């Protein structure tokens, strides 16, 4: 058994609901480790049914450990949930679970998406919609059922520092319709990895260039034509700086004038 420090994934967020102070890359790594654990559980036909930040611990090596399997069930058994029985935590519960319907592995991914939102923003999805009433489990469930009944999705309020790629992962994981969510924990992990790579590159921001290219070589080898064809293929404007035009002393006036 792994030795686990008494630290929840949310333990570095203060009482005022501040986001986790860890870096985005560190938080994403924790969630990828959770997804790896879920992948193994799901491969054995087990649904956790209570994914939330408080059930994720950090071990002595700084790895995320998924705990509290007390209500986990195989899908076949989970499908036999008795009417009125509602295991799990309403703040992170998927619609099908809140209605005591059959749960699948995608139910866990819904809960994990809401957990990621909580850790990144310092608040649950219901804090914005319900305010102080977000602590009332019945009102939380009514809000969820109301959205589902109107075929509406959650309206996430992300802070500016959360990259668009991460936002899209959360939105997809938390779709009301299970068929529109990620098909597996592995596919969600891959999407997270791609999102963090895009965030690190800076190319995910709307005001960033698609790419910057430098072609060097003697005059007449076709550098300009290669640049034109590349811009055409990418569908972007070609901004050309041909310094060969300014190599001669008498052309300096063109550069400054």
């Amino acid at each position: 058994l792994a030795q686990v420090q008494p630290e929840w994934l949310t333990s570095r967020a203060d009482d005022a609901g501040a986001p986790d102070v860890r870096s985005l890359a560190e938080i994403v790594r924790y969630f990828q480790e959770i997804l790896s654990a879920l992948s193994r559980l799901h491969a054995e036909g087990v649904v956790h049914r209570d994914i939330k930040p408080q059930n994720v611990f950090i071990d002595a090596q700084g790895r995320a450990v998924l705990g509290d399997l007390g209500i986990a069930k195989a899908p076949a058994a989970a499908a036999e949930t008795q009417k009125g029985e509602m295991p799990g935590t309403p703040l992170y519960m998927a619609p099908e679970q809140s209605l005591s319907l059959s749960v699948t592995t995608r139910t866990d991914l819904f809960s994990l998406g809401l957990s990621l939102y909580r850790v990144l923003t310092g608040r649950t999805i219901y804090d914005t919609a319900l305010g102080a009433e977000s602590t009332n489990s019945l009102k939380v469930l009514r809000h969820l059922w109301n959205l589902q009944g109107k075929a509406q999705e959650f309206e996430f309020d992300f802070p500016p520092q959360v990259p668009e790629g991460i936002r899209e992962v959360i939105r997809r994981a938390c779709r009301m319709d299970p068929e529109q969510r990620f098909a597996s924990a592995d596919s969600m992990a891959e999407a997270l990895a791609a999102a963090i790579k895009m965030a690190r590159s800076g190319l995910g921001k709307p005001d960033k260039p698609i790419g910057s290219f430098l072609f060097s070589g003697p005059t007449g080898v076709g550098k300009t034509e290669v640049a034109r064809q590349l811009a055409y293929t990418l569908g972007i404007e070609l901004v050309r700086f041909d310094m060969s035009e300014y190599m001669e002393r008498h052309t300096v006036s063109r550069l400054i004038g």
Side-chain angles (χ1 to χ4, degrees), residues 186-256:
D186 290 337
S187 62
M188 185 172 174
E190 291 171 2
L192 268 180
I196 197 67
K197 287 179 182 178
M198 181 64 75
R200 285 174 173 171
S201 72
L203 298 179
K205 299 179 180 179
D207 58 344
K208 291 291 183 179
I210 294 177
S212 298
F213 305 92
L214 173 64
F215 299 101
S216 62
T219 301
V221 297
K223 300 186 297 296
T224 301
E225 185 59 27
V226 168
R228 283 175 178 159
Q229 293 300 321
L230 180 61
Y232 176 79
T233 301
L234 293 175
I236 60 176
E237 177 187 3
L238 171 62
V239 180
R240 178 184 171 209
F241 297 93
D242 190 342
M243 297 309 296
S244 66
E245 298 179 5
Y246 308 106
M247 293 294 289
E248 301 298 330
R249 185 175 302 174
H250 68 274
T251 63
V252 172
S253 61
R254 295 171 58 190
L255 183 62
I256 64 176

Side-chain angles (χ1 to χ4, degrees), residues 44-235:
E44 297 296 326
V46 177
V47 180
H48 188 285
R49 300 202 300 172
D50 197 20
I51 300 293
K52 57 184 177 181
Q54 291 83 357
N55 282 341
V56 177
F57 305 89
I58 310 302
D59 70 11
Q61 287 72 46
R63 297 171 301 190
V65 178
L66 181 61
D68 194 359
L69 294 169
I71 64 171
K73 283 188 178 182
E80 299 170 359
T81 300
Q82 296 297 315
K83 187 175 182 180
E85 181 187 357
M86 194 185 299
T89 303
L91 283 174
Y92 302 96
M93 195 175 285
E96 64 273 17
Q97 186 176 1
S98 71
L99 294 168
S100 299
L101 302 176
S102 291
V103 298
T104 67
T105 55
R106 299 185 189 205
T107 304
D108 283 343
L109 302 185
F110 183 99
S111 300
L112 191 65
L114 290 186
S115 297
L116 179 55
Y117 179 78
R118 162 64 181 87
V119 174
L120 289 175
T121 66
R123 57 184 181 273
T124 70
I125 188 60
Y126 298 101
D127 287 336
T128 301
L130 301 177
E133 293 183 339
S134 62
T135 58
N136 186 314
S137 295
L138 181 57
K139 291 188 177 182
V140 164
L141 292 174
R142 282 177 176 170
H143 182 73
L144 177 61
W145 295 334
N146 185 51
L147 288 176
Q148 187 185 31
K150 295 180 179 179
Q152 296 177 345
E153 303 292 343
F154 284 126
E155 293 186 6
F156 293 98
D157 182 18
F158 293 100
Q161 64 269 25
V162 178
E164 180 58 36
I166 302 294
R167 300 182 189 197
E168 185 54 37
V169 169
I170 293 174
R171 292 189 192 105
R172 182 176 173 187
C174 299
R175 296 288 186 190
M176 294 295 168
D177 181 359
E179 294 301 316
Q180 295 182 10
R181 300 173 200 159
F182 290 100
S184 66
D186 290 337
S187 62
M188 185 172 174
E190 291 171 2
L192 268 180
I196 197 67
K197 287 179 182 178
M198 181 64 75
R200 285 174 173 171
S201 72
L203 298 179
K205 299 179 180 179
D207 58 344
K208 291 291 183 179
I210 294 177
S212 298
F213 305 92
L214 173 64
F215 299 101
S216 62
T219 301
V221 297
K223 300 186 297 296
T224 301
E225 185 59 27
V226 168
R228 283 175 178 159
Q229 293 300 321
L230 180 61
Y232 176 79
T233 301
L234 293 175

Side-chain angles (χ1 to χ4, degrees), residues 7 9-14 18-24 26-27 118-120 122:
E7 180 183 2
L9 187 59
T10 53
S11 64
R12 296 188 202 179
D14 63 25
D20 197 297
V21 299
R22 284 169 274 222
S23 69
L24 175 66
E26 188 177 7
I27 291 172
R118 162 64 181 87
V119 174
L120 289 175

